[in-house]
Amino acid sequence: MLQREMVLIIDFGSQYTQLIARRVREANVYCEIRPCFQEIPEEIKPHLKGIILSGGPNSVYAEGAPTIDPSIFDLGIPVLGICYGMQLITHLLGGEVEPAEHREFGRAVIHTIKSSPLFKKFAVAGTETVWMSHGDRVKTLPEGFHPIAESANSPYAMIASEDGRIVGVQFHPEVAHTDHGSAFIQGFLFDMCGCTADWTMDNFIDEQVKAIKAQVGDDHVILGLSGGVDSTVVAALMDRAIGSQCTAIFVDNGLMRYREAEEVCAFFETYGDINFVHVDASERFLGELAGVAEPEKKRKIIGRVFIEVFEDEAAKIKNARWLAQGTLYPDVIESVSPNGGPAVTIKSHHNVGGLPDFMKLKLIEPLRELFKDEVRLMGYELGLPKERVDRHPFPGPGLAVRVLGAVDKERCDRLRLADRIFIDELRASGHYDHIWQAYAALLPVKTVGVMGDERTYENATVLRAVTSTDGMTADWYHMPYDLLAKISNRIINEVRGINRVAYDISSKPPATIEWE
């Protein structure tokens, strides 16, 4: 394990846990998230500078509510409890939590009533607007604790132990709706924990290069290269770490965007010291997908065939022992339950699901702890060009999850043309770089239209564009009407078989970014 100072975030199932991690990392402090049911590994305890207990949807007094070993309070390091985390501190240390007479959801104003190191840059005027989201509240404090801030509905909006080492807050400093919330978290990191802000992308790259070299030794690594941002960054990282010991295999699954296969080959055939292999497996993938309409089945098939292709290629490469993937942190947390309760999988990801039992290659996932914007930053630090780094995310299963329903070459080709028109117009109008992800999807329905005074009965397509920072939440992009009209007109006139265009104005949640 890499030896560096860190803050541990213990997750109790809050929808905001990942935001806590982002705020910590934005302050150049390394952090990790661990579910509450996992014990803290002994090997990381000497490097812990602080612990943050996340919020959560449960009541601490309910039977079976998520909890932790109270011994963490004896580690001698600062602890910050947020919402459920504060209530759990109270509950475990002898205080009392009860249902609130007036639940608080939304903005509230807190008033400081006692000094705290957290107030150096936060609530310096004695008041602060914060974001509340709770139905319970602290009724009585544990022995040795006192309030340091209050709100109209929460007399214990902030509490602290007498030595100031343990602090609880009823609000959520990690969300943007809390004014100066980042300053509050930085107060915890630097004024309470004494962190040194030494976690930078340069340092992270150096650590990963050393870790990859140590892990791989003299073995050979096969990289699953899609040509998207994640796998491209992994390729650059592998090139720096082990060079020709890595073979990047680009599998053309027939589900790529317009001319994307040609672009990937043109870039990587001359890139660095890594080996590049192009495998055209489009007929194999499309054959396996024939007649399959259920989204999860499509994902599983693609994941299986993807690995089978790699198994075939690995047999040709001497000493191949490892498979490198561009798995990101959001991939992992969307595929498993974060709090140890019954898992509610939103969807499987090709990087974290669908792998057959007979896969013989061991995994290397150097981006597994990173958010998308951090991956882009790594790409720039590794010297990749802007056009490779700033590309919109593209799902691993490709057009299979954008051609809704059964997939075949004709439908994929039709969608490729519509999607190309959409993206070209976004680039030409200057909107592309303001959008997290944009694409066209082909709907599994036909609609009546009129073209050239004749009745048509053809396909409908939907355009999707969202803004986001990490893909965990997203808002629909407010596209100018005249631009939408131009895109719609071009698609209907230039793509045979499409006679209707819609625009998706759903946010995530409740919708997901992809339609399948």
Side-chain angles (χ1 to χ4, degrees), residues 19-322:
L19 286 178
I20 302 173
R22 293 188 57 76
R23 299 296 173 257
V24 174
R25 291 188 185 186
E26 286 168 1
N28 297 121
V29 174
Y30 181 73
C31 66
E32 290 184 2
I33 298 174
R34 289 184 179 269
C36 58
F37 57 85
Q38 288 185 357
E39 293 185 2
I40 300 175
E42 289 297 325
E43 62 267 24
I44 75 171
K45 288 182 179 178
H47 310 289
L48 281 180
K49 301 291 287 185
I51 294 175
I52 300 177
L53 309 181
S54 83
N58 302 91
S59 295
V60 295
Y61 48 78
E63 183 178 355
T67 189
I68 51 171
D69 186 341
S71 65
I72 71 161
F73 302 117
D74 301 324
L75 294 176
I77 58 175
V79 177
L80 169 64
I82 297 175
C83 198
Y84 182 90
M86 166 183 165
Q87 295 165 11
L88 188 61
I89 290 172
T90 301
H91 181 70
L92 292 176
L93 296 182
E96 187 177 356
V97 178
E98 66 177 359
E101 292 183 8
H102 302 284
R103 298 186 300 170
E104 285 185 293
F105 295 97
R107 285 184 173 86
V109 175
I110 63 168
H111 303 268
T112 63
I113 55 179
K114 196 167 184 177
S115 63
S116 168
L118 298 171
F119 297 153
K120 287 188 176 181
K121 297 179 181 179
F122 176 82
V124 292
T127 64
E128 193 72 35
T129 300
V130 299
W131 184 262
M132 296 280 193
S133 180
H134 67 100
D136 294 332
R137 70 174 187 175
V138 174
K139 179 181 180 181
T140 57
L141 292 176
E143 184 178 352
F145 277 72
H146 58 267
I148 56 177
E150 62 184 3
S151 72
N153 291 319
S154 298
Y156 302 124
M158 295 180 65
I159 63 173
S161 59
E162 291 297 339
D163 61 4
R165 185 173 55 83
I166 303 173
V167 175
V169 298
Q170 186 61 76
F171 57 90
H172 288 273
E174 69 273 24
V175 303
H177 303 298
T178 292
D179 294 348
H180 310 115
S182 293
F184 174 89
I185 291 176
Q186 290 173 23
F188 175 72
L189 297 174
F190 302 124
D191 298 320
M192 288 186 61
C193 300
C195 295
T196 56
D198 62 352
W199 191 74
T200 64
M201 191 50 67
D202 278 342
N203 290 341
F204 183 73
I205 290 172
D206 290 342
E207 290 172 353
Q208 288 301 316
V209 167
K210 292 176 183 176
I212 291 167
K213 288 180 176 179
Q215 189 175 14
V216 171
D218 296 327
D219 292 342
H220 203 93
V221 176
I222 297 176
L223 165 63
L225 183 68
S226 70
V229 176
D230 307 333
S231 64
T232 299
V233 170
V234 174
L237 186 62
M238 288 294 165
D239 182 59
R240 178 172 293 190
I242 57 175
S244 60
Q245 284 179 253
C246 178
T247 295
I249 300 176
F250 168 54
V251 177
D252 183 355
N253 56 15
L255 304 167
M256 309 285 289
R257 288 170 288 198
Y258 184 78
R259 300 197 65 181
E260 191 163 25
E262 293 95 323
E263 294 174 1
V264 172
C265 290
F267 180 78
F268 280 101
E269 282 171 352
T270 59
Y271 180 80
D273 295 326
I274 61 174
N275 307 297
F276 176 72
V277 176
H278 174 212
V279 181
D280 185 354
S282 55
E283 290 187 5
R284 181 173 176 179
F285 277 88
L286 290 172
E288 293 269 4
L289 289 168
V292 178
E294 205 280 317
E296 279 298 289
K297 288 184 179 179
K298 289 193 287 188
R299 288 177 179 272
K300 296 295 185 181
I301 288 171
I302 292 167
R304 173 177 57 78
V305 176
F306 179 77
I307 294 302
E308 289 173 359
V309 170
F310 268 80
E311 289 280 304
D312 294 341
E313 292 300 320
K316 305 174 186 177
I317 300 173
K318 184 180 179 180
N319 211 24
R321 300 287 185 271
W322 302 87

Side-chain angles (χ1 to χ4, degrees), residues 411-459:
R411 299 189 75 208
C412 286
D413 287 343
R414 184 172 292 135
L415 179 58
R416 268 187 270 267
L417 292 175
D419 185 76
R420 183 201 65 176
I421 291 170
F422 186 25
I423 299 304
D424 283 353
E425 289 296 337
L426 290 179
R427 289 188 185 278
S429 61
H431 287 271
Y432 184 87
D433 288 337
H434 299 287
I435 296 171
W436 165 267
Q437 191 168 356
Y439 66 89
L442 192 67
L443 301 182
V445 296
K446 289 189 174 182
T447 69
V448 174
V450 178
M451 301 179 75
D453 295 327
E454 294 183 0
R455 178 184 183 275
T456 63
Y457 188 56
E458 296 179 337
N459 294 270

